[in-house]
Amino acid sequence: MSSKMQTLMFLLVLTISSFTVKASPSDAGIAIYWGQNLGDGSLSSTCNTGNYKIVLLAFLNVFGAGRTPIWNFAGHCGDWSPCTKLEPEINYCQQKGIKVLLSLGGAIGPYSLSSPNDAKVVGDYLYTNFLSGQFGPLGSVTLDGIDFDIEGGSNLYWDDLARHLNNIRQQNRYFYLSAAPQCFMPDYYLDKAIKTGLFDYVFVQFYNNPPCQYNIATSDATLLLQSWNAWTSLVLPNNTVFLGLPASPNAAPSGGYIPPVDLLTKVLPFIKHTPNYGGVMLWDRFNDVGNNYSNQIKVYLIKSALQFVTQVSEAIAASVSTALNALLPN
Ligand SMILES: *[C@@H]1O[C@H](CO)[C@@H](O)[C@H](O)[C@H]1NC(C)=O
Ligand SMILES: *[C@@H]1O[C@H](CO)[C@@H](O)[C@H](O)[C@H]1NC(C)=O
């Protein structure tokens, strides 16, 4: 090969490499809980920030065991202002490519499942009212999935609900299932359900859990990183794990807040290369608004930024060495 051709190939490699600088849809991002404080701002404005790839509507907090389901979106809507008004905003977010999931549970119930059959009844209710496009409490929406943020009631039959929803999505249209366990393992409420392997996303709550969260007093991430490794190994290879964090110190009374600079230097470099790293989950939009957290961290979460730099450096090194070999006399 002539050295001219080598140089040409070198340029070609550089050109091809430079086209890979864009985040793929599967790349890391931020999932945010929305709906528990009027200070969240509207759902549309939340999606307009461009900061989030998943929005979790919080919460459907009364259901199961024959209860009439009740959704609680704090001051956003309720009996005084029907939640069907969210329909255009949900559509707006989805048009922007943001996945909108309904979150079940939260800190305040009551909710529980009384039997495997009750899990089926609840699963069918969720599909018909939120996932099928038929008219329901949020209007005629087709949400992207269901999140299990189970923190109370009973720990029974959540695996049955996951399996039933999985049957429904296999028979109809695929939708996502996610779970938001506490970092302390095994999670009392969700362990059995998570071990079904059916949750596309696992938003592990590394807050209000001193045995497995970031220690802000000593700037020590040891317990958090140990827990991260345990969680990501548990749900390999199919389930993506998000680092669940409070968006401000106030969001988690028992701690776990990680100042942006500590996140960038002490945590992200160690978790980003886990094959099933998905990004960061934040509690919640209200705290994110007040603390400007997602704006400060979003550019650092993407996996491919570093992968790209590595690929380009390798491509350049290979081309330079080939070009030099061609130029040097034997
Ligand atoms: C991962 O997904 C593949 C393809 O759907 C499936 O065959 C496999 O059993 C799954 N593995 C686990 C551990 O769930
Ligand atoms: C929020 O953070 C971004 C990124 O660091 C910064 O550009 C912006 O000025 C901040 N906004 C406020 C209100 O502090």
Side-chain angles (χ1 to χ4, degrees), residues 6 9 48 73 75 82 114 128 161 177 182 207 219 224-225 241 251 255-256 263-264 268 277 296 298 308 325 329:
Q6 297 283 359
M9 284 197 60
N48 251 339
F73 296 115
S114 58
T128 307
L161 180 59
L177 294 177
Q182 311 298 313
Y207 50 93
S219 300
L224 172 97
L225 294 175
V241 182
L263 182 70
L264 310 187
L268 287 178
Y277 157 80
Q296 296 175 75
K298 63 179 175 181
F308 165 69
N325 280 340

Side-chain angles (χ1 to χ4, degrees), residues 258-269 296-297 300-301:
I258 311 182
V261 67
D262 292 5
L263 182 70
L264 310 187
T265 54
K266 300 194 162 126
V267 179
L268 287 178
Q296 296 175 75
I297 66 166
Y300 302 100
L301 303 181

Side-chain angles (χ1 to χ4, degrees), residues 60 63-64 69 102 104 113 116-137 146 148 160-169 171-172 175 177:
L60 181 80
F63 60 89
L102 176 68
L104 309 181
L113 300 172
N117 191 58
D118 189 34
K120 281 193 176 143
V121 170
V122 168
D124 290 342
Y125 165 81
L126 293 172
Y127 180 72
T128 307
N129 285 280
F130 300 102
L131 299 160
S132 69
Q134 295 177 53
F135 188 80
I146 299 290
F148 290 44
D160 293 288
L161 180 59
R163 275 189 294 266
H164 187 58
L165 288 169
N166 183 53
N167 289 340
I168 295 175
R169 70 180 173 178
Q171 283 157 27
N172 298 277
F175 53 80
L177 294 177

Side-chain angles (χ1 to χ4, degrees), residues 291-293 295-297:
N291 194 36
N292 198 29
Y293 196 73
N295 277 331
Q296 296 175 75
I297 66 166

